[in-house]
Structures are given as C-alpha cells and as structure tokens.
Amino acid sequence: MTTDTKLISRIGYKDIFKKSINKDKLIEKIELVPALEFLTVLNKFEYKVHEKDTSELRFICNDWLKSSDEKIKKAIIDYYTNFLTENKRKKRDFTGLQSIKIINQTATLRVIELLLAKGTNNCKSEYDEENLFKLYLSVNDEIAERENIFFEKWQQIFGTKHNEIRFHMYLGINQGIMNREPLGKKIWVEALKFVQFEKWIKNQSKYENFTKDYLKKFDSSEWYELFTLIFHLNKLAINNYKFNVDENSKDLKLLSYFSNHEEKTPNWNEFSEIRKRPLFKLPNGEYLILDFSFLLDKFFSGIYHDILEFSNNTYVNGFHQDYSTNFIEKHLLVNTLKAVFGKSYIQFDEIKIKSVGKKGVDNIALPDYYVRNGNKIFVFECKNSLISNKLKIEANCDAIENDLKNKFYHNGTKNKAVKQLLNFVESSDNGQYKFFDTNTKLEKCIYYPILITTDNTLTSLGFNAILNEYMSNDLRKIDNSLKNRIKPLTIIHINDILLRTTQLKKLDLLIEDYIKYYRSKKAVDSFISFSDYLERVKFKNNSSLDHKSYKEILNNSIFPEN
C-alpha cells in the first residue's frame, strides 16, 4: 500500500567544511528583516525545494547563493557527490540526492528563532546570503548534536526489542516538527474544536466574566467575533507569506498579540515563542507569517493555552481540570464519537452509564466511552495530559519515559490510561457492566482498548509500541482465556476522530489492519502511529469527508446552520 519509510541524512557545517563556526558572530552580520522574509518564504514553500532529485542543490547554488563565491558552491556539490559515491560503494539504501538534505523545517524554524532572539535591524535590504546559509548549516549541526544524545544512548545497545522501541520513540520526538498534520486537516479540526469549546463554555456561568475579560483583549464581545478574526487571518495566510491590514481594522489587537515578540531567548525551546507569536510585524506595517501551521493552531489549540495562561494570571481556579474533565472527556469526546458511530451499536458515555441508577456505581471503574458491536467491545479512555515540554527540550531520555509512565501508565498507586483500560476490560468481562449492557456472551467478546489523546507527541514513532510494552507486563497476570481476546492498545488522536468521523465507524477492521501493517514491517515503519497509518496508508488517496456526520457537532454552534 505504501513504500517503506527512508531515513534522510541532514548536512551540517561540519560535514562540508570539517570545522565548526560561531553562530553569534554570524548573526551579527545578518540583517534581521530581509533574512526573516527569506526564511518565511522558504518555510512556506519548502516542498518545492524537494520536488525533484536535484531541486535542493539547484536552489542553493542558483538562488540562495547566487552572488556567493564559487568556492562555497563547489564545496557543497563535492560533499553531495562524495556522499552518494560512498553510499553506492558500501551498497547502502540511498538511491539519490533526496536521501540527503540541507533544507528542513526544523532548521528553518530554529534559524528564525535565533534571529528573533539575537538579530539586529539596520534597515538594510540585503541579508548577507552566505552568512545566513552558514548559520543554517551550523543549526543543522546543533540539531545533530541534540539527536546524538539519544543515538549514543540507544543505538549502541540496539539488539533487543526493549531498546529498539526506545530508540524509535526518541527518534519520533526529535522528528516531531517534521511530522505535522496536513494543513487541510488542521484547518478543519481546529475549527471544529473551537465550535465545541464555544458551545461548552457559553453554558458555564462561572466563566461568564472570565470570558468577557479574555475576549476584551481582542476587542471582541463574542466568541464568534474572535473566530471570524482568526478565520480571516488564516484565509489571508493560505496564499500569502505576508499581508497588510487597514490602520482602522478590528484585526489590529489580535495581530499585535500574535506578533509581539517580547519573550526572546536563543535557547532551544521547541519553538514555543513562534508557536505563541506566529507573526512578525515588518517596519513597513506588513505582517510576516513565520509559520502557517502555528498560525492555524490559533484557531483553537493556541487559544486554549492562551486562556489557560490568562486564567492563571486572573486567579480563576481549576480551569485546566474543568477543561480536561468536563470539556475534553465529557463534551468533545462524546459528541465526536457520536458523529463516528451515529445511532449504530450499543453506546454509553460515563454520564449515561451513571444515569442508569445502579447502587454503588461510583465505586465501579468506568470508561469515558463504551461501544459494543456484537461481540466486539471498545473501551475508550481520554487524556488531556501532555508530555513535558521542558523534558523534550532537555532531551532527557529517562526523564521523558518516567513522565510518560506517570501520565499514561501508573503514578505511585494510581492507575493511569493503560492500566485503567485493562481494568475496564476485566470489569466488563467479569460481568460488572451488565447493569447497563445486558450482554450474555461475555466469554466470546473481543476487547479493543483505546487511548484518546490530545498530545501530538503520542502520535510520534514508538509511543504506541512502548505503551503496549507496559500493557504486556500486566497481561501476563491475566488468565489466557481473557488475554487472548484483548487486542493491542491503540492510541488515537482526537483530531483523527474529528476529521474522519464515519470513516472510523468500522473501527475494529481499521485497528486489525493497522496491527497487521506494523507487524509486517521492519525498522521505522514497524513503529508507525495510528494517526500516520490513517494519513499515509489507509486514506492516502482519500481526502473526502462525511459532512452529514458533523451535524451533531455543528448544531447550536457559532456556525450558521446552512
């Protein structure tokens, strides 16, 4: 169904010139504004640079370095040639120039980050193409040094499944920025989450004044006004890398908020500054779109983090917990799964289960959502927990895994997602759920434990495998008659459910196909996430959406009914 994933080698300054270079001295020579504009265009249209085997090399020599010394161009060409010759001689799996790259999104964003923190604006129109290119190469060295932290830890002891899983998990974390959601998907799901959030929060009277104060920051009085402003902004960004607005435009407060780069740091921070402020205001009043994907996050995901920060600063207690439990788990998840399954199958969310009225129900472990189709039972546990950004920045392998365990396996004596799901399976199989689902053939039931996540990190390489490794330890304690009827854990991002809806209705078949796929593969592809499997394999050539299934989500929302 798809070609196997190939690893790509990134070229740095040390590779070509056999020495390192001082980034700070390079930045001093680079004019900030024209350099940012060049990098913004490169970031938006990078796909064109990699269209053909020789596209990147031609772009670097003929466009980026068009006025540079021929010696530097020759050094670059010689490196490409020698690299390919050596790999052909050693019969490695490198078939062309696209197996090695200089230009990559991680490096582009990192150079933007460094220039925002340390760059100077002397009102010159030229950005010093050669020094910007050398800075770009040295950033590739920096990225390689970060990746070497986990390569050195795991690649030397690669012989066991345990180590192979962790190697790919840390590889996935480091490649996260290059494995982002397609823009068409992101636009749609971010808008849908905004719609659901607006429906939920307008019915929370305790947040009425808090909402008014937050919206006032953008000269808005209703969520629809803010949504319209953000939608207009993203509409401009689809076909442009910069834009301007009228001085009297209502967009100005929002634009000022998205372009106010006051918190500047040259330290590696997973691009948090660009995520928070994805625009840059040019001296002539125009706005550069530093990264379109980060701007799209402002439809909802970015707004949530802004609201969370705002709530902390305004002493609104408990907003995060309320959001995670009552919005994500009880509102968004329930309405989204209703869009998937419609009125088919036996379905219960936790509130509906408790409404049955069984005595002592609060003492029974219940899933966030329960679906049964014949003898196939799906138990869902939804988590709004995020892997620590600080630990990812520090590239602390052991600490990242401990954080994963604490949030998704167990924390002290408290069971988390994986253990909870197995608990639900056992509770169902021993008849504790018969008070709401009168299934009489429990011994024939097949169980599908599903973790719903809001963290994109968990859809990176290796995370599904490592959580299944944890689960396998607990499965050893379960009787074979049940153990053999429990399918491997599947991690599904809430965005995939929002996007696919009824395409996921036969979820058992999709999960079975996913399991067969990764078990049949080797190396990188054997650790593929369910999200990537859906996007790159199952629905690779199918971008259609079932718009009727969104009726429940859009009903009584800020969107016009027709």
Side-chain angles (χ1 to χ4, degrees):
M1 285 187 284
T2 182
T3 55
D4 289 350
T5 302
K6 305 291 184 187
L7 291 177
I8 295 169
S9 294
R10 185 187 291 110
I11 304 172
Y13 189 88
K14 293 177 183 177
D15 295 315
I16 296 176
F17 300 106
K18 311 305 177 187
K19 60 183 179 179
S20 59
I21 194 167
N22 188 305
K23 288 198 286 287
D24 289 341
K25 290 184 178 179
L26 288 173
I27 292 171
E28 289 175 4
K29 301 174 183 177
I30 297 169
E31 184 68 15
L32 175 65
V33 171
L36 282 180
E37 190 156 351
F38 173 83
L39 292 166
T40 295
V41 174
L42 180 61
N43 189 34
K44 185 175 180 65
F45 299 106
E46 182 189 316
Y47 67 93
K48 289 182 176 292
V49 175
H50 297 134
E51 276 182 335
K52 296 179 181 179
D53 231 24
T54 58
S55 295
E56 179 182 87
L57 190 54
R58 288 177 181 275
F59 169 76
I60 290 170
C61 294
N62 298 338
D63 296 288
W64 191 336
L65 299 176
K66 61 183 177 183
S67 303
S68 295
D69 192 311
E70 290 299 318
K71 289 182 180 179
I72 188 172
K73 297 180 186 180
K74 184 178 185 302
I76 296 165
I77 294 169
D78 285 348
Y79 181 82
Y80 274 87
T81 303
N82 293 336
F83 184 91
L84 292 175
T85 301
E86 182 66 9
N87 280 288
K88 186 177 287 187
R89 184 181 70 81
K90 293 182 177 180
K91 297 182 179 179
R92 291 175 180 163
D93 192 16
F94 290 88
T95 55
L97 289 176
Q98 288 194 349
S99 63
I100 50 174
K101 287 183 181 179
I102 290 176
I103 296 168
N104 62 92
Q105 198 162 46
T106 305
T108 304
L109 291 172
R110 177 60 178 151
V111 176
I112 290 174
E113 189 173 58
L114 287 171
L115 290 175
L116 287 173
K118 291 190 169 186
T120 55
N121 182 20
N122 297 312
C123 300
K124 296 178 182 177
S125 59
E126 299 296 326
Y127 55 81
D128 193 330
E129 61 186 35
E130 194 167 309
N131 281 319
L132 181 61
F133 182 71
K134 289 177 180 178
L135 176 63
Y136 199 101
L137 287 174
S138 70
V139 163
N140 275 340
D141 287 338
E142 179 188 23
I143 296 167
E145 287 167 10
R146 286 181 56 81
E147 291 177 345
N148 282 340
I149 293 173
F150 77 89
F151 272 114
E152 290 172 2
K153 179 177 176 65
W154 294 107
Q155 199 171 29
Q156 300 303 317
I157 49 174
F158 203 62
T160 68
K161 186 71 173 178
H162 172 92
N163 294 337
E164 191 179 358
I165 288 171
R166 281 147 185 83
F167 172 82
H168 284 91
M169 185 181 79
Y170 298 123
L171 178 64
I173 290 172
N174 277 276
Q175 297 299 317
I177 194 66
M178 300 175 71
N179 188 31
R180 300 197 284 184
E181 292 176 309
L183 295 179
K185 172 183 177 180
K186 177 164 278 197
I187 291 171
W188 186 232
V189 298
E190 289 295 311
L192 289 175
K193 283 190 286 189
F194 190 108
V195 165
Q196 285 293 293
F197 177 73
E198 186 270 343
K199 286 172 67 175
W200 173 74
I201 201 167
K202 74 180 181 183
N203 291 316
Q204 310 297 313
S205 58
K206 60 184 173 181
Y207 296 130
E208 185 175 347
N209 291 331
F210 167 70
T211 295
K212 287 179 181 177
D213 291 340
Y214 178 76
L215 291 173
K216 197 182 295 181
K217 292 193 343 175
F218 310 109
D219 279 345
S220 299
S221 58
E222 300 288 343
W223 288 105
Y224 181 70
E225 290 182 43
L226 179 58
F227 180 87
T228 303
L229 290 175
I230 297 173
F231 183 83
H232 174 65
L233 192 57
N234 280 282
K235 192 176 179 181
L236 285 172
I238 289 173
N239 296 314
N240 302 282
Y241 70 91
K242 63 179 179 179
F243 61 90
N244 54 34
V245 295
D246 188 88
E247 290 183 0
N248 299 314
S249 172
K250 200 172 181 180
D251 294 345
L252 286 178
K253 269 205 171 181
L254 185 70
L255 293 173
S256 176
Y257 183 72
F258 286 174
S259 61
N260 183 17
H261 292 274
E262 291 183 349
E263 300 176 17
K264 300 176 181 179
T265 173
N267 298 327
W268 188 285
N269 63 5
E270 292 286 313
F271 316 116
S272 60
E273 174 62 13
I274 307 175
R275 291 176 195 272
K276 288 171 68 176
R277 309 284 188 257
L279 300 179
F280 179 84
K281 189 174 182 180
L282 296 169
N284 65 2
E286 291 182 302
Y287 291 88
L288 272 181
I289 304 159
L290 299 176
D291 187 81
F292 186 28
S293 183
F294 291 159
L295 183 60
L296 285 176
D297 281 337
K298 293 300 178 181
F299 258 135
F300 180 73
S301 298
I303 284 180
Y304 158 63
H305 291 291
D306 288 340
I307 292 173
L308 183 59
E309 184 178 336
F310 186 70
S311 71
N312 293 333
N313 294 334
T314 52
Y315 307 103
V316 176
N317 295 322
F319 176 77
H320 172 70
Q321 185 59 47
D322 200 17
Y323 171 90
S324 296
T325 302
N326 294 313
F327 173 62
I328 295 290
E329 295 175 14
K330 291 183 168 62
H331 184 89
L332 181 63
L333 176 71
V334 171
N335 284 297
T336 303
L337 288 177
K338 283 180 179 177
V340 174
F341 299 113
K343 295 182 179 179
S344 302
Y345 315 149
I346 293 169
Q347 300 179 56
F348 286 89
D349 61 71
E350 187 178 0
I351 293 175
K352 186 178 177 182
I353 293 171
K354 289 182 175 181
S355 71
V356 173
K358 177 179 173 60
K359 187 177 180 180
V361 70
D362 288 332
N363 297 319
I364 301 174
L366 299 173
D368 289 324
Y369 210 85
Y370 172 100
V371 176
R372 181 168 66 82
N373 175 21
N375 72 329
K376 294 167 184 175
I377 295 177
F378 306 87
V379 286
F380 296 84
E381 180 64 17
C382 182
K383 295 296 182 188
N384 188 43
S385 300
L386 306 177
I387 299 298
S388 167
N389 196 52
K390 178 176 179 291
L391 297 179
K392 288 191 286 184
I393 291 169
E394 293 171 352
N396 188 327
C397 301
D398 294 332
I400 289 171
E401 183 168 356
N402 286 334
D403 192 46
L404 178 70
K405 280 185 176 178
N406 289 337
K407 290 173 178 174
F408 297 97
Y409 185 52
H410 69 83
N411 189 349
T413 58
K414 192 170 183 179
N415 289 343
K416 294 294 184 176
V418 175
K419 281 183 172 287
Q420 285 177 291
L421 284 164
L422 275 182
N423 196 359
F424 302 150
V425 169
E426 290 185 278
S427 296
S428 173
D429 203 64
N430 65 29
Q432 288 190 55
Y433 292 171
K434 279 192 173 184
F435 72 93
F436 68 86
D437 181 10
T438 56
N439 178 22
T440 59
K441 298 180 179 179
L442 292 172
E443 71 281 358
K444 294 184 179 180
C445 285
I446 309 296
Y447 291 95
Y448 296 81
I450 298 167
L451 168 59
I452 305 297
T453 183
T454 59
D455 187 359
N456 286 328
T457 303
L458 264 69
T459 66
S460 302
L461 282 175
F463 279 89
N464 208 83
I466 198 166
L467 290 185
N468 269 296
E469 179 190 86
Y470 299 160
M471 192 172 84
S472 67
N473 294 328
D474 292 329
L475 284 172
R476 294 191 186 101
K477 305 169 188 175
I478 295 177
D479 186 84
N480 284 339
S481 62
L482 172 58
K483 181 168 65 177
N484 295 334
R485 292 183 283 118
I486 302 174
K487 296 295 179 179
L489 170 77
T490 302
I491 301 172
I492 306 180
H493 198 286
I494 190 71
N495 288 1
D496 292 306
I497 307 175
L498 278 165
L499 180 74
R500 302 293 177 187
T501 59
T502 53
Q503 290 179 329
L504 304 184
K505 188 172 183 178
K506 294 183 178 179
L507 190 55
D508 55 316
L509 299 181
L510 287 172
I511 291 174
E512 297 282 2
D513 286 347
Y514 168 55
I515 295 168
K516 286 179 186 175
Y517 178 84
Y518 69 69
R519 284 179 173 172
S520 70
K521 297 295 179 180
K522 295 180 180 179
V524 174
D525 288 291
S526 67
F527 297 97
I528 190 173
S529 69
F530 189 67
S531 293
D532 285 342
Y533 171 75
L534 293 178
E535 187 68 38
R536 300 177 183 179
V537 182
K538 196 66 181 180
F539 299 116
K540 183 179 180 181
N541 299 313
N542 182 1
S543 58
S544 62
L545 302 174
D546 181 3
H547 294 283
K548 289 183 180 179
S549 67
Y550 296 111
K551 185 176 181 181
E552 181 70 26
I553 295 175
L554 299 178
N555 188 35
N556 297 321
S557 73
I558 57 177
F559 278 176
E561 291 187 11
N562 54 0

